[in-house]
Every structure is written in C-alpha cells, then in structure tokens.
Amino acid sequence: MSTTRRLFFALEIPDELQQQIVYWRAQCFPAHAGRPVAAANLHMTLAFLGEIGAQKQQALCTLAGRIRQPGFTLTLNDAGHWPRPRVVWLGPRRTPRGLLQLASILRSQAARSGCAQNPQPFHPHVTLYRQASDSVSLPPPGFAWQWPVNAFALYASVFERGRTHYRLLSRWPLGN
Ligand code: 2AM
C-alpha cells in the first residue's frame, strides 16, 4: 500500500520575524480573537498539493528544481478577516510580481500533475488565527514586516501529539 502525505509549497518566514509577528499579534489583537497559529507554523502558502504519494512528490520536486526566477522583497503590511474559513491573515498591500509568478508556476505545475487547485485567484496571506471569532477587530494600519525572499520550500503538514506542525522537506533558491 502506498502512503501519502499532505504537502504544500510555501515561503518560509525568518525565525526572528515569526517571533516579532507573534509578539505584535499578542499586543494588537483581542485575547479571544481565535486560535493563534504557533510562531514556527507561520508561513505563506504558494500552492497546496493535498494528499499525494511519493511518485507525484518526486515529479513535482523535479519541476520545482527547474524554476529559474529572481528573488523579491516581501512586505507584510495588511491584515484581514475571512469569515467563511474563519481566519485572520497578514499579507502584502502590493503583491510583488515575482511572488505572483512563482505561485502561478507552482500552481499550474500542481494542476497539470493532478493536484486540484483552488479556482479562486491566489491571495497571498499568512494565517495568524484559525477559528476566528466573528467580531474580531483588526489592528490599525502602520505595521510592516519586510524580508528578502531568496528561496521557496516544500512542506509536509504533520499531525502529531494533538498538534499540527509543518515539516520542511526541501528548499530551492531564487536567483538574482
Ligand atoms: P490557510 O493558512 O489559508 O488555511 C497547510 O495546511 C497550508 O495549506 C495552509 O497555509 C493552508 O492555508 C493551505 N491549505 C490547506 N488546504 C488548502 C486548500 N484546499 N487550498 C489551498 N490552500 C490550502
């Protein structure tokens, strides 16, 4: 029997920024805003692959390794609340072209390999809270976290001892 894993391509957020974001979150959101995502789990999904087997994973990794794209600077300076999936998110006010291109390539490679993609346009975001309360208030504008993105990664979503965590499996550089 072949085993599958729940995989996705994502951008890592540097550890120091993850810590700064959770510190800011604790200051700026009400205590009952929702279930906060752990600092180490903060990331930006580029393409969700779903439950896939080793063969498909290998094929998608080969394609990912052929991507030649420059890096870009990402600035997270916007926040929002999606009531339906019940998430509060952080994202860029202006999406860098490089981020759109990278997500678009990974999403089309995934779709061509049989990983159904969300038909909605890519909306770059970092989930801050899950099971967000309906009335959560968002912090005023004026915050911004910025870093140079010079790689993207493949993660497995792992449920262990009652918790989900994201295990980094592979990383590919973005060039100049
Ligand atoms: P979310 O943070 O908006 O929930 C691991 O689960 C990552 O994959 C999360 O970033 C999650 O996005 C994303 N994800 C989970 N299911 C998905 C789906 N069906 N379509 C797109 N992204 C999904």
Side-chain angles (χ1 to χ4, degrees), residues 14-167:
D15 293 358
E16 201 182 296
L17 275 191
Q18 289 177 325
Q19 296 302 332
Q20 289 175 18
I21 291 169
V22 297
Y23 181 77
W24 164 83
R25 180 177 66 186
Q27 309 292 314
C28 294
F29 283 89
H32 302 291
R35 188 160 58 78
V37 174
N41 275 357
L42 295 175
H43 68 277
M44 179 176 283
T45 295
L46 298 167
F48 181 70
L49 305 177
E51 290 280 338
I52 63 170
Q55 217 174 346
K56 202 177 269 189
Q57 176 184 341
Q58 186 52 52
L60 285 164
C61 283
T62 301
L63 292 170
R66 290 189 192 138
I67 293 175
R68 296 285 173 268
Q69 249 206 231
F72 50 87
T73 297
L74 186 53
T75 307
L76 302 179
N77 53 0
D78 195 14
H81 173 215
W82 289 330
R84 244 235 306 177
R86 296 184 64 201
V87 303
V88 171
W89 53 265
L90 196 55
R93 275 187 193 284
R94 215 196 113 267
T95 305
R97 188 188 295 266
L99 171 56
L100 286 177
Q101 280 172 352
L102 181 60
S104 160
I105 294 169
L106 289 168
R107 281 160 58 107
S108 37
Q109 287 178 344
R112 281 201 301 271
S113 303
C115 303
Q117 295 299 290
N118 191 330
Q120 288 180 358
F122 173 63
H123 187 301
H125 67 282
V126 175
T127 298
L128 287 181
Y129 288 98
R130 299 193 183 281
Q131 294 162 26
S133 72
D134 293 342
S135 56
V136 63
S137 56
L138 297 171
F143 54 86
W145 288 276
Q146 189 174 75
W147 77 100
V149 175
N150 45 31
F152 65 99
L154 179 71
Y155 284 89
S157 175
V158 180
F159 188 73
E160 252 171 7
R161 283 179 236 116
R163 282 163 191 247
T164 296
H165 68 98
Y166 304 132
R167 183 175 298 152

